[in-house]
Amino acid sequence: MSVGKSSLTLLEIASWHPTIAASRTEALAHALEGGDVLVLPKLAFAFEQGEERFLDAKWSDARAKNISFDAGKIKGAKGAPEDLADLGRMIARFANCASELIAALFPRYAPHQKRAQTSFRPHPALGRDVSWRKDDTRLHVDAFPSRPNRGERILRVFCNVNPRGEDRVWRVGERFEAMAEHLLPRVRTMRRFEAATLAALRVTKGRRSEYDHLMLGLHDGAKADIDYQRNSAQQEVRFAPGTTWICYSDQVMHAAMGGQFMLEQTIYLPLSALYQPDLSPIRVLERMTGRRLAA
Ligand code: SIN
Ligand code: FE
């Protein structure tokens, strides 16, 4: 793995429920909430007997990019019911590992963690034929068009489970604030009845806040700008098999450039759970615009 100068913090733990000193938690929270990727090169996900068979793209139903598991239901997979039940158990075990890890590292988050979807990504990161907006090989921050989050954070835990020694390869871009200074001036303002209309048409689940609008604008603005993609500050980061990594994907500029077979857990956290809410994207954007961006 290449560890660059700035945005990675290494953590040499090998347990999904480590014991961590409070001072270490503070330092790690500062790094994570400041936009670092926490990299745990010794924390592998342990397969149980027979589960390696799932390291094959044939389990994907080929319509969805990922196999996902949410509220006890598996989606995007195909196979015999017994196999899919085993696959669901494997993904659910990863979900438990990921939430336990976050609760152990960051006790303040523990009671606030909202576990969202867990995904298993059996397809190669490269080679998917998608529109520029869905192209995750372009640097971006995550923002969901249909699920407004009004400043709530998107924390993600990833684990490379490749059986053939292939790294997951990312590009990690510049800090959120630098990116926003560059791209925010080009994001159009939200139209007067836009949020209400989108909610009424059920394009969005609930009302889009101005924060959501700006985050989508930054997501799209970065992905659409070829010059920004090529020339903005960035580093390649390689996550070897058996590596887990954690980041706020609504804050870290990231792009997936290679690799196959990864598990991922999404966790939502309210601003009130953070160690340093002032570092969060909503507070950064509020300082830049001089406005409250979500009620
Ligand atoms: C992404 O979250 O944009 C993609 C991450 C990955 O598939 O490695
Ligand atoms: Fe992403």
Side-chain angles (χ1 to χ4, degrees):
M1 162 172 7
S2 69
V3 175
K5 47 200 177 319
S6 56
S7 44
L8 306 182
T9 294
L10 264 184
L11 190 50
E12 304 271 341
I13 58 168
S15 160
W16 292 97
H17 23 84
T19 312
I20 292 275
S23 57
R24 194 81 206 279
T25 285
E26 287 287 330
L28 289 173
H30 187 80
L32 179 71
E33 294 182 4
D36 268 19
V37 180
L38 301 188
V39 185
L40 295 76
K42 297 191 174 148
L43 187 57
F45 177 70
F47 289 111
E48 290 183 352
Q49 204 180 2
E51 285 178 344
E52 272 100 344
R53 75 187 189 281
F54 295 122
L55 299 172
D56 190 316
K58 76 175 184 195
W59 300 101
S60 161
D61 74 3
R63 281 191 299 275
K65 165 167 92 158
N66 304 321
I67 294 175
S68 66
F69 192 75
D70 199 355
K73 266 217 215 100
I74 195 159
K75 282 194 212 136
K78 70 169 178 354
E82 318 81 75
D83 287 323
L84 294 188
D86 285 352
L87 178 55
R89 265 192 296 279
M90 178 186 95
I91 301 175
R93 206 169 67 254
F94 176 73
N96 288 334
C97 284
S99 343
E100 279 177 29
L101 175 68
I102 295 302
L105 293 177
F106 306 109
R108 190 181 298 175
Y109 292 173
H112 302 283
Q113 288 196 58
K114 237 195 275 167
R115 202 193 272 188
Q117 63 145 37
T118 319
S119 70
F120 171 51
R121 307 187 179 191
H123 292 293
L126 281 187
R128 297 184 62 248
D129 187 18
V130 288
S131 68
W132 63 269
R133 203 179 254 121
K134 289 198 171 151
D135 180 1
D136 288 339
T137 71
R138 300 181 189 214
L139 286 164
H140 64 283
V141 284
D142 288 341
F144 305 130
S146 60
R147 185 195 179 280
N149 67 19
R150 321 185 68 79
E152 194 173 58
R153 304 304 310 277
I154 306 169
L155 182 64
R156 287 189 150 161
V157 180
F158 303 89
C159 185
N160 183 357
V161 292
N162 188 285
R164 297 186 300 261
E166 284 171 38
D167 294 345
R168 191 87 181 174
V169 185
W170 274 23
R171 287 186 291 148
V172 173
E174 63 186 347
R175 297 274 168 183
F176 184 86
E177 196 148 2
M179 177 277 290
E181 264 160 24
H182 188 75
L183 296 172
L184 192 63
R186 286 193 240 151
V187 179
R188 68 166 176 81
T189 45
M190 190 154 71
R191 293 186 196 99
R192 199 151 159 235
F193 298 110
E194 189 169 348
T197 308
L198 291 171
L201 294 173
R202 308 202 182 226
V203 174
T204 56
K205 212 171 141 217
R207 217 177 156 104
R208 190 179 278 178
S209 64
E210 196 180 351
Y211 170 73
D212 294 293
H213 172 84
L214 294 180
M215 289 296 283
L216 282 168
L218 293 172
H219 170 276
D220 290 1
K223 281 188 172 177
D225 185 338
I226 299 300
D227 182 60
Y228 182 83
Q229 290 293 324
R230 288 209 187 110
N231 300 320
S232 62
Q234 54 192 276
Q235 63 184 122
E236 183 185 89
V237 183
R238 306 186 74 93
F239 304 102
T243 300
T244 294
W245 63 106
I246 306 167
C247 72
Y248 276 110
S249 66
D250 54 0
Q251 179 173 18
V252 173
M253 289 294 281
H254 61 282
M257 306 312 293
Q260 186 175 8
F261 304 118
M262 186 178 73
L263 285 157
E264 172 269 334
Q265 175 65 49
T266 302
I267 294 164
Y268 297 126
L269 283 164
L271 283 186
S272 59
L274 299 182
Y275 292 76
Q276 292 182 284
D278 278 355
L279 302 179
S280 65
I282 190 168
R283 294 292 176 253
V284 170
L285 294 176
E286 285 181 340
R287 284 195 292 276
M288 290 174 74
T289 56
R291 290 195 297 279
R292 279 294 290 274
L293 297 175

